[in-house]
Amino acid sequence: MPWGPELRLLCTRFWRWLVNEGGDVELTASERAEMDWGRVIPFIALHVACGLVLVVGVSWVAVAVAVLLYLVRMFVITGFYHRYFSHRAFKVSRRFQFAMAVIGCSAGQRGPLWWAGHHREHHANSDTGRDPHSPLHTGFLYSHTLWFLTRGSFVTRVERVRDWLKFRELVMLERFDWVPFVGLGIACYALGAGLQQVMPELGTSGAQMLVWGFFISTVVLYHATYTINSLAHRFGRRRYATNDESRNNFWLALLTLGEGWHNNHHHYPAAARQGFFWWELDISYIVLRLLAALGLVTNLKPVPSDVLADRRLAPSAGK
């Protein structure tokens, strides 16, 4: 039986959604602002799934895996999606670059090119009406989550990431960025089920490991990352007179392994470190230094001394 035009259109849209083959060129301004329910529903479902903890219970090993996966994925988001793919603050080999991109995709925050493209758009228009997620113009909730769930944000800002398009493996990964994410969920379940069989004394199971290691760890990772878009432009202190409202916030830096030194970063985005001074804890930079010692990372860009002193605000200007 031949397909009707409505069914063909539906299948075409689903395929384009599945392989991230979408664009906003044919969308009107109002359509760009609409929620993309194909993204909204899974996002909500991940949050709801965390409630299954009341069914599966808790074990120390499941919590440990959840914390470990939070830390590893947060580092890859901050160290590679942000400092490497968005700002090219250091160099790595092509193989290590791809490995980090795959791990980054397991965080469920789209591919590295999508992430970098929108982040570069943010820096080009920070806290203006063209900023994709400014809390000053769109409010807390939109800047925290809703902005990336709209139809207009679906597309990768190719014009912002042309330097990465020469890597065919990254372009392919971008089309199937959900595969490592789903794969992580399957791996968590398999780990828990395996431990239940060989080490039942640990008190875990496939379902429990899925809930803690995948659902809870991912949702906490989501909102910790998003605080830099929302809270770090509202709360904290301003050391440098940047052309936006970026703030330094110790608690956000602790939560995100160094990203909370956001005013520093907007003052000089090219640096591999965001905690400019020794007392500003930047765990991601410490890990990058360790990777450099192992020869996996090279050319970590420092913060020039004149940049540290340039446009420093008077103490009374801090907020």
Side-chain angles (χ1 to χ4, degrees):
M1 180 178 179
W3 291 2
E6 294 83 4
L7 183 57
R8 286 198 298 270
L9 178 60
L10 181 63
C11 290
T12 299
R13 286 179 175 175
F14 175 73
W15 175 252
R16 292 180 66 189
W17 177 85
L18 194 65
V19 300
N20 290 319
E21 190 178 272
D24 61 353
V25 290
E26 71 261 28
L27 299 180
T28 64
S30 60
E31 288 173 334
R32 284 175 51 81
E34 292 175 357
M35 290 293 102
D36 180 359
W37 291 102
R39 302 280 172 181
V40 172
I41 293 173
F43 183 74
I44 294 174
L46 280 171
H47 288 70
V48 173
C50 292
L52 292 173
V53 69
L54 299 175
V55 177
V56 301
V58 60
S59 67
W60 74 264
V61 67
V63 173
V65 169
V67 172
L68 177 63
L69 287 175
Y70 171 87
L71 292 174
V72 169
R73 292 185 292 169
M74 178 61 83
F75 166 70
V76 175
I77 290 295
T78 63
F80 282 83
Y81 267 35
H82 188 196
R83 305 184 197 197
Y84 179 71
F85 287 110
S86 298
H87 296 292
R88 308 199 72 146
F90 52 90
K91 295 181 180 180
V92 297
S93 70
R94 187 166 179 172
R95 289 183 179 180
F96 195 58
Q97 168 185 285
F98 183 66
M100 292 300 101
V102 171
I103 296 174
C105 286
S106 75
Q109 298 184 28
R110 304 288 300 276
L113 306 191
W114 180 91
W115 207 102
H118 282 276
H119 186 70
R120 289 175 177 181
E121 185 78 14
H122 163 65
H123 271 271
N125 302 286
S126 186
D127 283 333
T128 70
R130 296 182 61 186
D131 188 335
H133 44 65
S134 171
L136 278 67
H137 290 267
T138 58
F140 170 80
L141 185 59
Y142 190 90
S143 67
H144 191 72
T145 56
L146 296 183
W147 74 272
F148 60 82
L149 296 172
T150 61
R151 294 178 65 190
S153 70
F154 179 85
V155 66
T156 298
R157 297 295 177 193
V158 176
E159 70 280 5
R160 295 279 185 191
V161 290
R162 296 193 185 280
D163 51 328
W164 294 116
L165 298 182
K166 62 183 178 182
F167 298 102
R168 291 176 295 178
E169 66 275 16
L170 293 181
V171 174
M172 180 58 68
L173 180 63
E174 200 74 17
R175 291 172 64 86
F176 297 98
D177 58 45
W178 52 271
V179 173
F181 184 57
V182 174
L184 177 63
I186 295 172
C188 284
Y189 184 89
L191 174 62
L195 290 175
Q196 186 178 27
Q197 292 295 318
V198 301
M199 302 182 70
E201 65 274 14
L202 293 177
T204 191
S205 65
Q208 185 188 81
M209 195 66 73
L210 177 67
V211 170
W212 281 96
F214 185 66
F215 295 138
I216 293 177
S217 179
T218 297
V219 168
V220 174
L221 177 67
Y222 277 166
H223 292 286
T225 306
Y226 305 157
T227 60
I228 305 304
N229 294 340
S230 55
L231 299 181
H233 281 256
R234 296 297 297 270
F235 302 101
R237 298 182 64 84
R238 286 174 50 75
R239 171 181 290 126
Y240 299 106
T242 57
N243 294 323
D244 52 45
E245 288 298 317
S246 56
R247 310 291 174 117
N248 286 337
N249 187 304
F250 167 78
W251 299 108
L252 296 184
L254 193 63
L255 185 67
T256 60
L257 309 185
E259 297 295 291
W261 308 115
H262 203 50
N263 179 245
N264 291 353
H265 173 62
H266 272 263
H267 178 53
Y268 190 71
R273 66 185 303 175
Q274 296 188 14
F276 283 3
F277 299 93
W278 66 264
W279 60 85
E280 294 177 336
L281 181 62
D282 187 347
I283 296 174
S284 289
Y285 182 66
I286 294 172
V287 177
L288 288 173
R289 289 288 300 271
L290 291 174
L291 292 176
L294 294 173
L296 295 172
V297 167
T298 60
N299 296 95
L300 286 166
K301 294 182 180 178
V303 184
S305 57
D306 61 320
V307 168
L308 290 175
D310 185 36
R311 294 190 296 162
R312 184 183 289 267
L313 295 175
S316 61
K319 296 181 181 179

